[in-house]
Amino acid sequence: MTQNTSAKDAAPSREVRRQTANPVVISDPQAIRALAHEARLEVLEELFASQSTRTATELASRCNLTPSAMSYHLRALEKYGYVERAANEGDGRERRWKAAGDQLVVGTLSDSTAAKNAFLNVQLNAFRERLSAEIARRDADRKAGIEPSPGRAPVLTTGMVFLREEQRDEFVKRVYALVDEYEALADPEERGIDGERLYYMLSFLPEIRSSAP
């Protein structure tokens, strides 16, 4: 959602870091389970990130589904308050849809751990497929003799830093501030259905030390 898909403990994209004007707060386990579908996750990322309207046909083209199948998923998301029908544009021959708010907040893990784990598995699987597709694309470029750009980012970076609690909070805040800065640069045309997208996944996990026996 700007991409403001967010959550307190489990989220489509990031943890909550600021208050927004119109958050969509989800805590019902059934509503959370409704997210555990790759196409629905893609729809939420698209609608919340763009804050624009889309038709079922436009969304179906991004998810490799038929418009009728996408309409089914949109109605399911509408049932649980994730999306809503928007005012028609142009000739109005096809219904347009939009995010129901400017940020999606999934409740704490104590509400339904099983439901959130199912949702996270779908999210992680979708990102894994994007990673695999990027690896294949880079391998094809290499075989074709295409040189990578000097500033090309690695496919995946993981690591660990040693931080005190106050440093950790500042580190997370600064990373999110950078994301917010670049999200704010996109104009409405860049948020269109054909706009260029750069997917990212952020997770900051403090070490959990087991108690001594």
Side-chain angles (χ1 to χ4, degrees):
M1 334 199 152
T2 156
Q3 178 157 331
N4 286 335
T5 349
S6 316
K8 297 175 182 176
D9 291 300
S13 297
R14 69 181 68 161
E15 293 182 354
V16 173
R17 63 186 184 278
R18 66 179 184 271
Q19 295 295 319
T20 60
N22 184 28
V24 177
V25 182
I26 303 296
S27 58
D28 174 48
Q30 281 192 318
I32 296 170
R33 289 190 183 94
L35 295 177
H37 189 290
E38 184 177 346
R40 295 178 186 181
L41 184 62
E42 180 79 17
V43 166
L44 290 181
E45 288 181 337
E46 179 69 27
L47 293 180
F48 276 88
S50 69
Q51 287 294 294
S52 299
T53 66
R54 301 282 190 264
T55 66
T57 298
E58 289 172 333
L59 293 168
S61 69
R62 293 199 57 79
C63 300
N64 296 318
L65 295 176
T66 64
S68 60
M70 179 53 66
S71 293
Y72 168 80
H73 289 302
L74 285 165
R75 288 193 296 271
L77 291 171
E78 180 187 34
K79 174 183 175 181
Y80 291 109
Y82 293 110
V83 303
E84 58 189 28
R85 300 170 193 236
N88 282 346
E89 303 172 7
D91 58 19
R93 286 183 295 180
E94 187 173 3
R95 170 62 62 187
R96 303 194 71 84
W97 296 83
K98 65 179 182 179
D102 58 6
Q103 183 180 51
L104 177 62
V105 180
V106 180
T108 62
L109 286 171
S110 60
D111 294 333
S112 176
T113 302
K116 288 202 180 63
N117 280 338
F119 167 55
L120 286 175
N121 283 335
V122 172
Q123 184 185 30
L124 291 170
N125 286 337
F127 202 79
R128 185 181 296 110
E129 289 183 4
R130 287 173 180 147
L131 288 173
S132 296
E134 177 62 11
I135 290 170
R137 184 185 71 84
R138 294 187 183 196
D139 188 51
D141 284 351
R142 180 183 58 79
K143 292 177 179 178
I146 300 173
E147 292 294 325
S149 61
R152 185 171 69 173
V155 174
L156 179 66
T157 299
T158 64
M160 175 180 65
V161 290
F162 292 86
L163 300 173
R164 297 187 301 274
E165 183 175 358
E166 64 274 14
Q167 293 174 320
R168 182 186 65 197
D169 293 345
E170 178 65 16
F171 176 68
V172 174
K173 180 180 178 181
R174 289 177 65 181
V175 171
Y176 281 144
L178 182 63
V179 173
D180 289 341
E181 176 187 346
Y182 277 87
E183 285 185 347
L185 294 176
D187 61 33
E189 288 188 5
E190 291 173 326
R191 298 180 189 277
I193 194 69
D194 295 322
E196 288 192 34
R197 293 155 174 77
L198 179 68
Y199 294 96
Y200 62 89
M201 177 175 285
L202 297 175
S203 183
F204 302 99
L205 305 175
E207 180 183 18
I208 300 176
R209 298 186 180 184
S210 58
S211 301

